[in-house]
Amino acid sequence: MARPPRYPPCSLWFCARCVRISFAASFQPPAQNKIVCLPGIKQAAKVSPYAEDPLVVAFFANVHILGLLRNKGLPAMKPRTLRTVFLPIPVSVSYGREVLRGIRDYAATTRAWEIIAVDTSEKRLRWIAEKGSGEVAAVLGYVAPAAVRSILKPLNVPMVNVSAAADCTGLPSVLPDNVEIGRIAARHLIERGFTNFAFVGYPSHPYSNDRLAGARDALEQAGLSRSLAVPNNWNQKSSWYQMLRKPVAIMTANDYLAVRILPVLREAGLRVPEDVALIGVDNDDLECEFATPPLSSVDPNARGVGYTAAEVLNRILEGGSPPDSPILVRPIGIVQRASTDKFAVADVQLARAMRMIHDHACDPISVYQIVERLEISRSTFEKRFRDVIGHSPHDELRRVRLERAKAMLTDSRAPITEIARRCGFSDSKRFSTIFREESGFSPQQFRQEKKH
């Protein structure tokens, strides 16, 4: 077969005969058509540098059979009518990119959409509006702001929102559970022994306020509600961070904000995590891993938001009723890195115990062995541990093992039995039971949820 021609970066590699691929990307709004053959499609998946790019339409969702597939000897099929769905979603932030991936995953299962991702600039939005409802079947993306709704209203097509940066009342929406995100971040810091906290966010953004509310709720449940500071001028040359009691744990509304606070803390002579533990939200791998030190973050399951939002939109397009209230998608959990690798425990023996648990959780270690190394009675140790940490040493050991298991379920394809063994559980059945009790999912369900 001759080498297929290379199209611009917004497309894939294809060659010609009997299958038509409609595709478009954010860099070239007008959709294009190319004629390709079945072997060409298979070759495209192998050689295209763009085949996994979330900005490129999943080509399997956009295949039209025009004639005989001569290579397979199959009968001719009628072209499928595709619905054009526009995705005004910014790709400059991790949340937007992950939402796009989730939408792509769903579109690949329906094979009935032509999806076109565009940025959220006014120019792009007006371009969508000018195409008219005759060409646009639906809009899915950042459509909550009043200005965006105003521009797109003349289309008179279904719209589903995936952003809580503005009030989305009256608009079908699928969002992360931002209150639960705040709770998860606060609990992580409480479990590491912190008693002083601060939250830095965006008071004008609903998602930030919801995350603050979740953090307050978790602190209140732990009897620490009075220990939370909420500064308003973090980015100015002020002394807000100097007035916080140390050691202190700072939660931010997102990773972008956390990464920009780091140099402010360094300039003030504060060490992370020794003086200040810092945690963000979104798990933007580049922002988090290039930070100094690497940033811990809450994974909000943005990919799950995108997948669920696409499901909701498809139901609406098929004649179903839109949801009356926002659908909330459960976050994945904490992705721990160096910025929270600190145990703020004044009791030296408890600090040693916490370090032993976190360093050896996946080894065949027990509370009895920890007590032996500390040379302290078990009853005294467990009472002091509960008083300071808020739960038993056994609960902490199990919690750490489950967090490691979640990371393996997310980042590897290892069998459940192998994950159970490597995370310190006696057998996979016991592991599955404990996992379901703690997370509400079986290990397999958790892995599938992360994919979607």
Side-chain angles (χ1 to χ4, degrees):
M1 181 184 296
R3 180 181 177 85
R6 186 174 185 177
Y7 296 112
C10 66
S11 65
L12 303 175
W13 288 73
F14 296 114
C15 55
R17 272 189 202 178
C18 44
V19 181
R20 182 180 297 274
I21 301 290
S22 296
F23 58 92
S26 60
F27 300 107
Q28 287 193 356
Q32 303 178 46
N33 292 322
K34 303 294 177 185
I35 304 298
V36 302
C37 68
L38 192 60
I41 295 176
K42 293 179 180 178
Q43 180 69 11
K46 296 178 181 178
V47 305
S48 171
Y50 310 107
E52 294 299 323
D53 192 323
L55 303 182
V56 177
V57 178
F59 57 84
F60 283 113
N62 299 318
V63 174
H64 299 257
I65 307 298
L66 297 183
L68 289 175
L69 294 180
R70 297 180 180 84
N71 296 328
K72 295 294 181 181
L74 298 176
M77 300 173 65
K78 295 182 180 179
R80 175 182 291 180
T81 302
L82 297 184
R83 289 170 168 150
T84 301
V85 179
F86 279 89
L87 313 178
I89 298 174
V91 297
S92 58
V93 294
S94 173
Y95 177 79
R97 294 192 295 272
E98 288 300 306
V99 168
L100 280 171
R101 287 188 174 100
I103 296 170
R104 175 197 61 185
D105 292 344
Y106 183 80
T109 68
T110 66
R111 303 187 182 184
W113 290 6
E114 179 180 45
I115 55 178
I116 302 178
V118 299
D119 60 45
T120 53
S121 66
E122 182 178 348
K123 179 180 178 181
R124 291 291 189 182
L125 295 174
R126 293 197 180 281
W127 174 77
I128 295 174
E130 288 170 2
K131 290 188 74 66
S133 58
E135 293 187 45
V136 180
V139 179
L140 194 170
Y142 282 38
V143 294
V148 175
R149 294 199 217 185
S150 176
I151 293 173
L152 298 179
K153 186 177 180 180
L155 286 174
N156 193 30
V157 297
M159 291 193 292
V160 173
N161 170 61
V162 293
S163 170
D167 181 23
C168 57
T169 303
L171 189 64
S173 297
V174 178
L175 307 170
D177 189 340
N178 289 305
V179 173
E180 184 62 20
I181 286 171
R183 290 194 192 104
I184 288 173
R187 287 171 187 154
H188 172 68
L189 299 171
I190 292 169
E191 287 163 355
R192 304 193 79 76
F194 286 91
T195 55
N196 303 307
F197 305 88
F199 183 92
V200 181
Y202 307 97
S204 61
H205 290 188
Y207 77 87
S208 178
N209 295 329
D210 286 345
R211 291 171 186 178
L212 172 57
R216 285 189 193 277
D217 181 60
L219 293 174
E220 184 175 347
Q221 291 179 20
L224 297 167
S225 58
R226 295 184 179 181
S227 61
L228 178 65
V230 187
N232 293 319
N233 57 345
W234 68 269
N235 58 340
Q236 299 176 8
K237 297 295 183 180
S238 65
S239 57
W240 66 269
Y241 40 82
Q242 297 288 12
M243 293 186 288
L244 299 174
R245 295 182 61 185
K246 315 297 186 301
V248 62
I250 298 178
M251 298 168 275
T252 63
N254 56 28
D255 294 336
Y256 177 88
L257 199 49
V259 169
R260 277 134 195 92
I261 285 177
L262 277 169
V264 175
L265 298 174
R266 275 197 298 271
E267 289 176 11
L270 297 174
R271 300 167 300 163
V272 178
E274 289 80 5
D275 303 315
V276 181
L278 186 63
I279 188 168
V281 179
D282 285 339
N283 193 34
D284 185 322
D285 54 352
L286 291 179
E287 289 272 26
C288 292
E289 292 172 12
F290 275 84
T292 306
L295 179 69
S296 295
S297 185
V298 181
D299 186 335
N301 195 10
R303 193 164 185 163
V305 170
Y307 192 95
T308 305
E311 280 186 316
V312 169
L313 180 59
N314 197 56
R315 285 200 299 268
I316 295 173
L317 289 172
E318 295 295 333
S321 300
D324 296 327
S325 58
I327 295 173
L328 302 182
V329 175
R330 187 171 182 163
I332 294 296
I334 297 289
V335 179
Q336 185 180 320
R337 300 183 179 90
S339 70
T340 59
D341 190 16
K342 158 80 175 178
F343 298 103
V345 180
D347 187 314
V348 175
Q349 286 183 314
L350 289 188
R352 281 184 60 200
M354 291 289 283
R355 178 54 64 189
M356 289 169 61
I357 288 172
H358 282 253
D359 288 351
H360 300 285
C362 295
D363 298 333
I365 190 172
S366 66
V367 175
Y368 176 78
Q369 291 171 310
I370 295 172
V371 170
E372 272 193 331
R373 295 186 189 184
L374 293 176
E375 298 180 349
I376 185 175
S377 75
R378 181 160 183 165
S379 59
T380 300
F381 169 64
E382 293 205 354
K383 182 179 184 305
R384 284 161 59 181
F385 198 99
R386 283 183 180 277
D387 289 344
V388 175
I389 307 301
H391 52 253
S392 72
H394 180 268
D395 290 341
E396 178 66 9
L397 185 59
R398 185 170 71 171
R399 186 192 68 79
V400 174
R401 285 172 172 168
L402 286 172
E403 289 300 320
R404 304 281 169 83
K406 287 179 181 178
M408 288 192 66
L409 286 168
T410 301
D411 300 333
S412 77
R413 297 182 179 180
I416 304 299
T417 53
E418 175 70 9
I419 291 174
R421 183 186 64 79
R422 290 172 59 180
C423 291
F425 293 92
S426 56
D427 60 74
S428 59
K429 185 176 180 180
R430 176 65 176 160
F431 165 61
S432 297
T433 300
I434 294 173
F435 196 97
R436 185 183 289 276
E437 288 175 355
E438 295 294 326
S439 68
F441 297 102
S442 70
Q444 189 62 36
Q445 288 171 334
F446 179 87
R447 177 174 269 171
Q448 291 299 321
E449 182 76 10
K450 178 58 180 173
K451 287 181 179 179
H452 294 160

